């Protein structure tokens, strides 16, 4: 039996104010999540950065609500809301075109490190969020309702639904598939489309010119960013993964992988197995801390892949070694295969997994475990703790070597994280050593080495082993960077139930991360990394 058309439930019409509130919720929450990706390359993604982002967005929205509420009775109209959306889209175009420049311009503010990101967040995201704050009180004034309370409740419910859509859509759809610039284009384009809808039909000439003009500026800003060649080189691939911003850039013969805006791996396209970054040469020094000769080493684990420079070189250099490499981000593995000549083989196994979970589940034991999974501002705390180091010790042979590539200063205020890791390692391993890679108390790659041996290995013994063993690489200079002790009395032991990694990394905010590079002949040359 059919149903009469008149008996079907009516689909409620969505008014202009309701649509405006919904879109403002989508855009404000989407921009808030996007802010983390734009701010992190310069200031990191610690709890302090995210706390600043959330606080600034709430403050800007609140100010917009207040100002909008005071003006709603006299100014509220759909045309005024349309202008607010066009102004928001115009500012988003500025962010796309000059966002990185604006972020860098705020670095010099004399603020405590925990507040270092505040000027950047305010400058980049305060104005558009403030403008979007006007929408809700304007809509509450315009929406048809029997009472002020009902109108306000309805408007803020619709806005909250928009925020939920913006949060989930940005997190699960936009960031995994689009670049920061294209995500900005989505929100800018959405604002322009909403403005056009609010202007209504037929459109006057002035609204048409405004809307088309802002749309053209958005597209031009994205096109300029895609076509541009930065100081890092020519971008050959760029994406947002669920974990980080990823970019591959070529400059001359050097291809560099940027994760979260920071240089993470590099490859010489004319000599793919050459160590471009000096710190990766130190990986081979782990083989000097074993009693076994090089041809007696049979299995090595790398936790953290990046461009897979270390795993590829070990698999090629040492014929008897099987290398297992674990990388959490599947996009990093795909990029390494396509752009960094990563190929699995009988002696090079690549696993997409969390490093600690892999160690817990594997039935292999290793001669060497190398942890290369840390960034300057993004450190998975569960791989810094005593429990993690104990798990690694259980998977090491009795003559095995535990090795961590840390990013910190070897002394001074920026050394808190390094000294905490040194002290934590001392609670698990009888012998602990360190190798700073730069002769200065700056933020750099510091290599931490730990063994189960009762007696320490001296610098002289390392010299003798380096001269005698065929490592396939000259480490005579690296051996001289050997350090036996570190001041750790005031450093905490990191545990699963208390690992204040964000606090320990905090003094490095705003400090330059110095990475040294090797020349074509293997000589070292200091070069600054991405400031962060």
């Amino acid at each position: 039996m059919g149903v009469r058309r008149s008996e079907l439930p009516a689909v409620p019409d969505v008014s202009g104010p309701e649509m405006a509130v919904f879109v403002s919720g989508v855009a404000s929450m989407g921009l808030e999540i996007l802010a983390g990706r734009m701010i992190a390359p310069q200031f990191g993604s610690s709890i302090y950065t995210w706390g600043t982002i959330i606080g600034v967005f709430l403050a800007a929205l609140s100010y917009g609500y207040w100002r909008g509420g005071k003006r709603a009775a006299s100014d509220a109209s759909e045309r005024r809301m349309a202008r607010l959306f066009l102004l928001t889209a115009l500012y988003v175009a500025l962010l796309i075109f000059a966002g990185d420049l604006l972020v860098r311009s705020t670095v010099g503010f004399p603020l405590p490190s925990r507040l270092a990101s505040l000027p950047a967040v305010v400058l980049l995201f305060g104005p558009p969020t403030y403008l979007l704050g006007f929408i809700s009180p304007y809509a509450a004034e315009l929406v048809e309702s029997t009472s002020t309370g009902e109108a306000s409740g309805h408007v803020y419910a619709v806005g909250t639904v928009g925020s939920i859509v913006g949060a989930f859509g940005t997190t699960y759809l936009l960031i995994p598939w689009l670049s920061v610039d294209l995500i900005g284009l989505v929100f800018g384009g959405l604002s322009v489309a909403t403005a056009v809808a609010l202007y209504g039909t037929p459109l006057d000439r002035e609204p048409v010119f405004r809307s088309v003009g802002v749309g053209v500026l958005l597209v031009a800003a994205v096109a300029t960013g895609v076509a541009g060649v930065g100081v890092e080189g020519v971008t050959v691939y760029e994406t947002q993964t669920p974990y980080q911003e990823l970019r591959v850039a070529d400059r001359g013969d050097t291809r560099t992988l940027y994760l979260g805006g920071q240089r993470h791996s590099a490859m010489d396209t004319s000599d793919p197995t050459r160590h471009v970054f000096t710190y990766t040469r130190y990986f081979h020094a782990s083989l000097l801390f074993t009693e076994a000769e090089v041809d007696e080493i049979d299995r090595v684990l790398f936790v953290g892949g990046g461009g897979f420079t270390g795993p590829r070189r070990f698999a090629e250099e040492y014929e008897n070694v099987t290398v297992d490499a674990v990388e959490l981000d599947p996009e990093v593995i795909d990029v390494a295969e396509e752009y960094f000549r990563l190929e699995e083989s009988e002696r090079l196994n690549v696993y997409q997994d969390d490093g600690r979970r892999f160690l817990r589940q594997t039935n292999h034991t290793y001669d060497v475990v190398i942890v290369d999974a840390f960034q300057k501002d993004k450190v998975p705390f569960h791989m810094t703790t005593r429990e993690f180091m104990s798990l690694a010790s259980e998977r090491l042979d009795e003559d095995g070597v535990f090795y961590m590539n840390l990013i910190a200063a070897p002394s001074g205020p920026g050394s808190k994280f390094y000294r905490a890791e040194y002290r934590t390692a001392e609670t698990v391993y009888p012998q602990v050593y360190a190798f700073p890679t730069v002769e200065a108390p700056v933020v750099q790659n510091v290599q931490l080495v730990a063994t189960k041996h009762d007696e320490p290995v001296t610098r002289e013994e390392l010299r003798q082993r380096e001269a005698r063993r065929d490592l396939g690489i000259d480490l005579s200079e690296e051996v001289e960077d050997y350090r036996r002790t570190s001041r750790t009395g005031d450093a905490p032991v990191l545990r699963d139930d208390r690992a204040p990694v964000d606090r320990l990394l905090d003094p490095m905010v705003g400090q330059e991360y110095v990475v040294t590079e090797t020349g074509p002949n293997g000589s070292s040359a200091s070069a600054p990394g991405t400031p962060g």
Side-chain angles (χ1 to χ4, degrees):
M1 181 175 178
V3 179
R4 295 180 181 178
R5 181 179 296 271
S6 60
E7 295 176 354
L8 293 173
V11 178
D13 293 331
V14 177
S15 67
E18 290 172 321
M19 175 191 63
V21 170
F22 179 81
V23 173
S24 70
V26 172
S28 61
M29 184 56 70
L31 287 174
E32 184 171 345
I33 296 174
L34 185 63
R37 290 301 174 103
M38 294 185 68
I39 297 297
Q42 191 71 33
F43 297 101
S45 57
S46 70
I47 189 173
Y48 306 114
T49 300
W50 273 109
T52 298
I53 291 171
I54 294 170
V56 168
F57 270 79
L58 290 176
L61 280 173
S62 297
Y63 189 41
Y65 293 154
W66 180 69
R67 290 295 302 274
K70 294 189 68 173
R71 299 171 60 175
S74 59
D75 290 352
S77 70
E78 292 191 11
R79 293 180 69 87
R80 287 190 179 276
M81 287 195 293
R83 292 173 188 170
L84 289 168
F85 277 110
L86 287 182
L87 287 173
T88 300
L90 189 62
Y91 205 91
V92 170
L94 175 64
L95 295 183
I96 295 172
F97 179 74
D100 187 58
L101 180 63
L102 292 174
V103 170
R104 291 174 185 267
S105 70
T106 65
V107 172
F109 282 84
L111 291 172
S113 58
R114 294 183 181 185
L115 297 175
S117 63
L118 180 60
V121 179
V122 171
L123 177 61
L124 270 68
F125 297 98
T129 309
Y130 165 73
L131 293 172
L132 290 172
F134 276 73
I135 301 299
S136 291
Y138 277 20
E141 183 71 23
L142 297 173
V143 72
E144 295 182 3
S145 180
T146 59
S147 68
T148 302
E150 182 181 352
S152 299
H154 179 70
V155 163
Y156 287 108
V158 172
T160 301
V161 172
S163 296
I164 294 171
V165 172
F168 281 100
T170 305
T171 302
Y172 295 103
L173 294 177
L174 299 183
I175 284 181
W177 293 101
L178 300 178
S179 67
V180 167
D181 288 351
L182 290 179
I183 295 172
L185 178 63
V186 168
F187 291 125
L190 180 62
S191 297
V192 172
T194 304
V196 171
L198 289 170
Y199 276 126
T201 56
L203 283 175
D204 297 333
R205 179 177 298 179
E206 183 180 351
V208 170
F209 285 162
R210 287 177 178 174
S211 302
V212 171
V214 174
V216 168
L217 287 175
L218 281 166
V219 174
V222 173
T224 302
V226 171
V229 179
V231 295
E232 297 89 356
V234 179
T235 298
V236 297
Y237 181 74
E238 186 174 15
T239 190
Q240 295 285 334
T241 82
Y243 302 96
Q244 58 209 331
E245 176 192 19
L246 183 153
R247 182 162 57 90
V248 179
D250 284 351
R251 188 176 185 184
D253 289 336
T254 301
R255 173 165 291 171
T256 304
L257 173 66
Y258 290 84
L259 297 178
Q262 298 176 16
R263 297 194 298 173
H264 193 80
S265 297
M267 180 184 73
D268 185 339
T269 54
S270 63
D271 185 6
T273 59
R274 179 174 76 84
H275 291 289
V276 176
F277 291 160
T278 304
Y279 78 84
T280 60
R281 293 168 52 86
Y282 288 78
F283 293 164
H284 300 266
S286 61
L287 304 183
L288 299 177
F289 285 88
T290 68
E291 298 290 344
E293 296 299 320
V294 174
D295 58 3
E296 296 175 315
I297 304 296
D298 60 11
R299 203 167 198 102
V300 173
L301 172 65
F302 279 83
V303 176
F308 290 81
T309 302
R312 286 191 295 110
R313 180 66 183 263
F314 266 58
E316 179 169 308
E317 192 71 48
Y318 309 120
E319 296 181 355
N320 297 326
V321 172
T322 297
V323 179
D324 294 336
V326 183
E327 168 59 47
L328 178 63
D329 193 337
E331 183 68 22
V332 170
I333 297 175
D334 293 341
V335 165
E337 291 175 342
E338 183 169 355
Y339 295 98
F340 291 87
R341 305 190 187 182
L342 171 66
E343 294 183 7
E344 288 195 72
S345 64
E346 292 183 357
R347 294 192 300 105
L348 176 56
N349 307 304
V350 178
Y351 300 91
Q352 190 269 307
D353 203 350
D354 173 79
R356 181 163 173 171
R357 183 168 55 227
F358 179 87
L359 271 173
R360 188 169 57 247
Q361 295 176 350
T362 185
N363 56 5
H364 292 298
T365 57
Y366 295 92
D367 297 285
V368 180
V369 171
I370 296 176
V371 180
D372 185 26
F374 300 163
Q375 299 179 30
K376 174 175 178 278
D377 56 1
K378 188 181 295 183
V379 174
F381 86 91
H382 65 294
M383 287 197 286
T384 68
T385 63
R386 179 172 60 190
E387 289 83 354
F388 171 72
M389 294 185 186
S390 297
L391 175 61
S393 177
E394 293 172 5
R395 297 295 181 268
L396 284 172
D397 296 331
E398 284 306 308
D399 190 33
V401 178
F402 178 72
Y403 183 107
M404 298 185 85
N405 173 35
L406 306 176
I407 299 178
S411 60
S415 67
K416 287 186 177 182
F417 176 58
Y418 154 65
R419 291 186 294 108
E421 285 292 77
Y422 196 106
R423 186 180 182 192
T424 302
E426 286 181 314
T427 66
V428 177
Y429 298 92
Q431 309 299 334
V432 182
Y433 314 83
F435 291 84
T437 57
V438 178
E439 295 180 2
V442 297
V443 177
Q444 58 182 280
N445 295 91
V446 181
Q447 314 304 305
L448 191 72
V449 182
T451 69
K452 299 180 178 182
H453 299 150
D454 293 330
E455 298 297 324
V457 177
T458 65
R459 180 185 283 110
E460 181 57 35
E461 288 177 299
L462 290 180
R463 289 171 181 158
Q464 294 174 4
R465 291 177 181 179
E466 196 279 330
R468 185 179 72 250
R469 295 178 179 177
D470 183 13
L471 298 178
I473 186 172
D474 181 4
L475 295 180
S476 55
E477 293 184 9
E478 284 75 8
V479 166
E480 298 306 313
D481 295 326
Y482 167 104
R483 287 190 181 185
R484 183 70 185 93
T485 59
S486 183
R487 184 176 62 84
T488 61
D490 61 340
V493 175
L494 304 185
R495 307 186 305 268
D496 280 354
D497 63 348
R498 188 175 184 275
V501 173
D502 286 317
R503 177 170 61 81
L504 298 172
L505 296 175
D506 183 50
M508 294 192 289
V509 174
Q511 292 194 37
E512 187 177 55
Y513 166 34
V514 177
V515 185
T516 55
E517 296 184 7
T518 63
N521 60 354
S523 59
S524 297
S526 181
T530 303

